[in-house]
Amino acid sequence: MRKGVVAILGFVWYAMEAGAQTAVLLKQVALDKWQVPSGNYSGITHVDGLCYALVDDKATYDVFFTLEIAQDSVTGAVLKVENRQVRADTAVAIGRRDAEGIAFYSADSTLWISGENDQRIIAHDLSGRRTGHELNIPKDFGITAIRPNYGFEALAYDRYRQVFWTITENVLRTDGELIVPGIAELQPLQLLAFSPDGRLKDSFVYYTDKPQTRRQGRAYAFGPVALCVLDDGNLLIMEREFDVKKRYLRSRVYNKIFRLKVDEAESVGRLSSLRKLSDISPVGKELLAEWSTSLRLFRPGIANYEGMCQGMTCSDGSRTLLLVSDAQGGVGNRFCRLKDWIRVILLPSEHLSEE
């Protein structure tokens, strides 16, 4: 891999990708190939057929977008993206909710959206209007319990266990130290399971991998950003580490996807703090994929992947994941702008052991 060239063209981007994994990563493709406008796409969920819903984390209303995403039945590659529609509840002005996660609940055809600024998970019908239902988030996980910008980023519905899964992006104030570059010991997060009627059903201890960044630069973000439940009941989680260097050049995003062995984990019930735990088994995890993209010269390819859901199943039985990145609305200048990428990951069935 080439070493980065310094300073004067530091605003131009190039993607480097690396990492051993059992899954197969297809080449990422920019959504503007299909004239999809740049956005702040931080979550994605499958709705029906070719229809997917994406959430925008900068919207001033609760809003989601619908796309039709067609994939090749053999390779899994994205063939076409079209029919972008905006669905919003404009009757409810919310300021900036920082909507991050989205999950489809097929029993009543509702889309549930998690907000990181208010720590609420709210249901919407397919027209975009709020239904009046939301998950009953205990005060221990509310807005005063999280670190700034480290609340509920990930959300998925599990039709096998009949629960919504969510997790904060970093450690709650009462549970331990914030996970940052150079931290000595990993800290516990709580993986939460809510029943569709809103009740907190279970909580499990989850440990992320250690940060790969050694020193914090201009900006930094770390933690789980997406959850996904496959059609066979396997629960997947994506960890994201975004390291922005002081001079931007060589800034890097690391991503890892794990299968969680949640059915083997010990529930902690409802505790006000994990500091009270003396000995409990955390959720086991199996690495399926890892990669990174970085800020280099001449090619715009850095990708801040925050959204993940299951895509189509290929003709050979391989499942696919669809990932979308957040380009911050195409932030940049006339020389270089961040792009919204879509990426397919193939998950051969032999690499997913049974729960």
Side-chain angles (χ1 to χ4, degrees), residues 125-254:
D125 63 27
L126 293 179
S127 72
R129 292 189 298 268
R130 291 188 182 186
T131 67
H133 297 102
E134 61 182 286
L135 300 185
N136 183 20
I137 307 300
K139 185 178 179 180
D140 297 336
F141 304 95
I143 192 64
T144 60
I146 65 169
R147 266 79 177 214
N149 204 36
Y150 274 140
F152 291 140
E153 181 117 0
L155 180 67
Y157 181 69
D158 183 340
R159 65 186 180 91
Y160 286 89
R161 301 172 186 87
Q162 297 185 340
V163 295
F164 286 97
W165 293 103
T166 190
I167 189 170
T168 56
E169 190 179 353
N170 210 305
V171 182
L172 295 172
R173 295 179 186 276
T174 57
D175 283 347
E177 299 176 32
L178 187 68
I179 303 174
V180 295
I183 190 169
E185 295 183 6
L186 288 182
Q187 306 296 306
L189 279 69
Q190 296 193 51
L191 176 66
L192 307 178
F194 288 87
S195 60
D197 64 6
R199 293 177 297 108
L200 177 59
K201 187 175 181 180
D202 267 319
S203 175
F204 302 90
V205 176
Y206 177 80
Y207 286 94
T208 66
D209 275 16
K210 284 189 176 181
Q212 299 187 51
T213 303
R214 295 183 180 180
R215 294 182 181 178
Q216 186 165 329
R218 181 180 293 268
Y220 184 77
F222 179 87
V225 292
L227 289 160
C228 169
V229 183
L230 301 182
D231 56 11
D232 62 357
N234 274 291
L235 175 61
L236 309 184
I237 193 168
M238 179 164 65
E239 296 181 12
R240 185 277 317 270
E241 181 178 3
F242 198 169
D243 173 35
V244 181
K245 302 298 184 184
K246 290 183 178 179
R247 295 186 178 181
Y248 295 108
L249 201 64
R250 297 184 184 177
S251 296
R252 184 176 291 271
V253 183
Y254 302 92

